[in-house]
Amino acid sequence: MKRQVLLFLPVLCLSYVLGQVSYSIPEEMVKGSVVGSIAHDLGLDLKRLKSGKARVYTGGSVEYIGLNKERGVVLVHERIDREALCGEMTPCALHFQLILENPMELFRVTVEITDINDNTPSFTNTEKRFEISESAVIGSKFILEKAVDSDIGRNGLQQYTLTPTDHFVLKLENQADGSKKVEMVLQKPLDREKQEYMSLQLTAIDGGEPQMSGTMRIFINVLDVNDNAPAFAKPLYRAKIPENSPKGTSVATVSASDRDIGSNGEVSYLISTSKRLLSELFKINPRTGEIILVGEIDYEKANSYQMDIEVVDSGGLSDSTKVIVDVIDINDNSPHINIVSKSEFISEASPPNTVITMLSINDPDSENNGKVECNIDDTIPFKIQTTLNGFYTIVTEVALDRERASEYNISVTCSDEGVPSLSSSVTLTLQISDVNDNEPVFERSSYEAYIVENNTPGVSVFTVRATDADWNQNARVSYILEDSSVNGVPVSSYVSISADSGVIHAVRSFDYEQIKDFQFRVKAQDGGSPPLSSNVTVKMMIQDQNDNPPQVLYPVQTGGSVVAEMVPRSADVGYLVTKVVAVDVDSGQNAWLSYKLQKATDRALFEVGSQNGEIRTIRQVSDKDAVKQRLSVIVEDNGQPSRSATVIVNVAVADSFPEVLSEFSDFPHDKEYNDNLTFYLVLALAVVSFLFITCLVVIISVKIYRWRQSRILYHSNLPVIPYYPPRYSDTLGTTGTLQHVYNYEVCRTTDSRKSDCKFGRGGSQNVLIMDPSCSGTMQRMQSEKSILDEPDSPLEVSNLGFKSRVTC
Ligand SMILES: *[C@@H]1O[C@H](CO)[C@@H](O)[C@H](O)[C@H]1NC(C)=O
Ligand SMILES: *[C@@H]1O[C@H](CO)[C@@H](O)[C@H](O)[C@H]1NC(C)=O
């Protein structure tokens, strides 16, 4: 504590004011604190104070200071608050009097109260709020509240600070009353987008020791201004959309951001490209930025679209971006097949790889959707080849044959490689034109024709037919008889053929007995150029007719002469009298002969073997039987109708020749003639025997040849009726010979008048010839010769065994 004692000499001459004393104390001293030693200062002794009943007189105000008489000091009696006592007044002093009695004395005491820093600067409001537009200009001022500090002097308010100071600085301005105006000034632009809210602190500081301060918070809300343009997130958007997408498909969504808020941040989108096409295809939702397809897009028209999108906020600030829409190809086009050129006809002789059609294929789709492959049915002899891009040729793969297929439907199918694949097809009709490459073909490899003998000339026998696989003129077949000869005669004199129809006609009447078969060749030729031909063998078989009656070879029937068989009277039952030998030049059934006894002198005596023609006795010959027996035997063949011949057999039943003669004496006789006859007969017999043996050798060799031929014949399909001549038996060693050897000779002499005939027979049989004139016989011989006289054609008497050829 600082104590000052001021001694004032009385200025005013007051009798009772003896002196005055001053003290100085700080405020807020504790009660009882000594202010000053007043006794000492006034030069009073403590006894005087007591005797004088010293007391403090304040004039009725609060007694802050008290007197301690014992110690002679003044003390703080009440708490002294300078601010309450004086406010802002300076100096601040307490004035009171010290009064003494006995004698009355008055002393003036002044106590100056000095300030201590016992008050902090303070604001009325602890916070203040501002709303400042971000567009506020630099230098804008904002009034702040002043702080209050009751202390004075150094202890009073000294300064303010504002923190932070990024945007605002504090400005203090002296005012007329000596106080200060507190303002903050914008020194850096505000940006709501960076910092919307700010909080600052204003601090007021006094100058006391220790220093004291008070604070106030300042809250600033930065108000938005449309100072930001909207901005697209990307400078370029890419989108893909399949072609043929339905209307309403969302293509892409663009988005722009505006950092402003509220209406300043509201944006709307629009397509700014002015192309009409684009606006017909796409629309943008102005609020969401979604681009929507509203038209039809076709990859084949445009595979990409570009558009500019603009965004505008309510303040008119804008941005733009680009959107590229790529159209994805869809396999929506099937391949187009164009026929560049085509042939309607192609010759069957065309070599492989002949081009028949040229196609051009295109598919407007892209990539695999537009890659096309063409195929044709592989069962047809064509193939498809690709040449230049998109060009195909259809060529023949192998040689063609019109006869197999005269027309082709070539179905070309082209498919692309899209998924799913699309295809289209076209059918081409190709005609194959004919080339004469097929010869006529006969229906059979060989023909056999049958004709019954004795046909009328010109009759049609048979038809050959050949077909030609070619077409039209190339298939027109004509038939030609090929030159050959049959038995030295040109075949054309036997048969002719109708060129158009293939009908074979017999030119002449055939005789089975002369010719049994022959063969010739027929050629079939087509009308092509050059013509092609083929030939076939036709074997003509002549069939037998029963046109020849049986001919009786033995006994020889002469007109006038009588030949008789002799039967001794002693003959037993079954005695073989003779055998009727007959032949039939026909064959088969027509030559199958049977014998019957037609008439007889005595029917009970003889019988005829129906098969073999043997005449035998059927009872013992008796003496009563007439010498001259006459039998009429009928020989019939088995043909339809059957033909027959009758033979008269004379039988003489006698033991001796004279007996016979007498019986047959009615025949005219001449002795000399008989002598002559006997000579001639012997001569003739010798000659005939020689000829016969010669003939026999020839016949046997011919027969063997024939037999071989006939075996071949029997193996063919001719119906064969087995025919066995009379008395034929297989049990005999020699196949096909008779049990008895029958010989017959035919004789002809140059002199008909002198001629005579003898028909001899082997064995023990007697032969009786009684014919005075041979003329009748000769005539018959003559006619027989004409039958037998076929040159180089031995007469077949029968099929088996009994064959002879007579040449005179
Ligand atoms: C080809 O097609 C036509 C018409 O469709 C038809 O008449 C003809 O028979 C067909 N030809 C072949 C060989 O399939
Ligand atoms: C008949 O055809 C045969 C082949 O079948 C042939 O060898 C022959 O030469 C032909 N004859 C004629 C005369 O054309």
Side-chain angles (χ1 to χ4, degrees), residues 649-711:
V649 180
N650 292 310
V651 178
V653 181
D655 283 330
S656 63
F657 204 62
E659 195 181 347
V660 178
L661 277 182
S662 66
E663 200 54 43
F664 288 84
S665 58
D666 48 337
F667 295 118
H669 283 105
D670 187 332
K671 182 70 181 140
E672 280 179 18
Y673 175 80
N674 275 347
D675 286 343
N676 258 347
L677 182 68
T678 309
F679 170 75
Y680 282 120
L681 278 174
V682 170
L683 189 67
L685 191 63
V687 171
V688 164
S689 298
F690 171 75
L691 286 174
F692 175 71
I693 288 164
T694 312
C695 288
L696 201 62
V697 169
V698 172
I699 284 165
I700 285 168
S701 52
V702 169
K703 181 61 200 168
I704 287 167
Y705 171 76
R706 281 279 170 160
W707 177 73
R708 284 196 173 167
Q709 289 285 90
S710 64
R711 267 188 63 137

Side-chain angles (χ1 to χ4, degrees), residues 603-808:
R603 271 196 168 270
L605 188 54
F606 301 104
E607 63 167 10
V608 177
S610 72
Q611 298 295 312
N612 51 23
E614 285 175 357
I615 300 172
R616 291 175 185 272
T617 58
I618 50 175
R619 66 170 168 80
Q620 191 72 46
V621 180
S622 71
D623 292 343
K624 285 183 226 137
D625 290 324
V627 172
K628 192 176 163 189
Q629 298 277 341
R630 191 180 163 89
L631 306 175
S632 173
V633 175
I634 183 163
V635 185
E636 283 184 334
D637 63 22
N638 206 23
Q640 282 295 337
S642 80
R643 288 171 171 259
S644 63
T646 310
V647 62
I648 307 294
V649 180
N650 292 310
V651 178
V653 181
D655 283 330
S656 63
F657 204 62
E659 195 181 347
V660 178
L661 277 182
S662 66
E663 200 54 43
F664 288 84
S665 58
D666 48 337
F667 295 118
H669 283 105
D670 187 332
K671 182 70 181 140
E672 280 179 18
Y673 175 80
N674 275 347
D675 286 343
N676 258 347
L677 182 68
T678 309
F679 170 75
Y680 282 120
L681 278 174
V682 170
L683 189 67
L685 191 63
V687 171
V688 164
S689 298
F690 171 75
L691 286 174
F692 175 71
I693 288 164
T694 312
C695 288
L696 201 62
V697 169
V698 172
I699 284 165
I700 285 168
S701 52
V702 169
K703 181 61 200 168
I704 287 167
Y705 171 76
R706 281 279 170 160
W707 177 73
R708 284 196 173 167
Q709 289 285 90
S710 64
R711 267 188 63 137
I712 295 164
L713 180 68
Y714 287 150
H715 286 167
S716 70
N717 48 6
L718 247 183
V720 175
I721 301 151
Y723 165 67
Y724 300 104
R727 300 200 62 181
Y728 170 75
S729 167
D730 265 341
T731 56
L732 293 172
T734 328
T735 307
T737 55
L738 290 168
Q739 259 176 327
H740 299 269
V741 178
Y742 296 99
N743 297 324
Y744 66 93
E745 292 98 36
V746 179
C747 175
R748 189 179 70 175
T749 58
T750 46
D751 185 359
S752 63
R753 285 200 62 82
K754 284 284 181 180
S755 72
D756 206 349
C757 297
K758 184 189 176 203
F759 290 86
R761 213 176 63 173
S764 60
Q765 300 298 318
N766 292 322
V767 175
L768 182 66
I769 299 162
M770 285 168 292
D771 188 357
S773 93
C774 221
S775 60
T777 310
M778 286 305 112
Q779 276 166 0
R780 182 175 173 96
M781 289 295 118
Q782 202 75 35
S783 71
E784 277 189 8
K785 179 188 174 282
S786 72
I787 296 166
L788 305 175
D789 214 15
E790 188 64 38
D792 300 329
S793 171
L795 171 68
E796 286 183 29
V797 175
S798 77
N799 272 354
L800 296 163
F802 198 80
K803 289 186 183 170
S804 181
R805 184 176 150 201
V806 177
T807 313
C808 291

Side-chain angles (χ1 to χ4, degrees), residues 405-410 427-430:
S406 63
E407 182 189 72
Y408 288 98
N409 286 337
I410 305 168
T427 299
L428 312 160
T429 301
L430 181 70

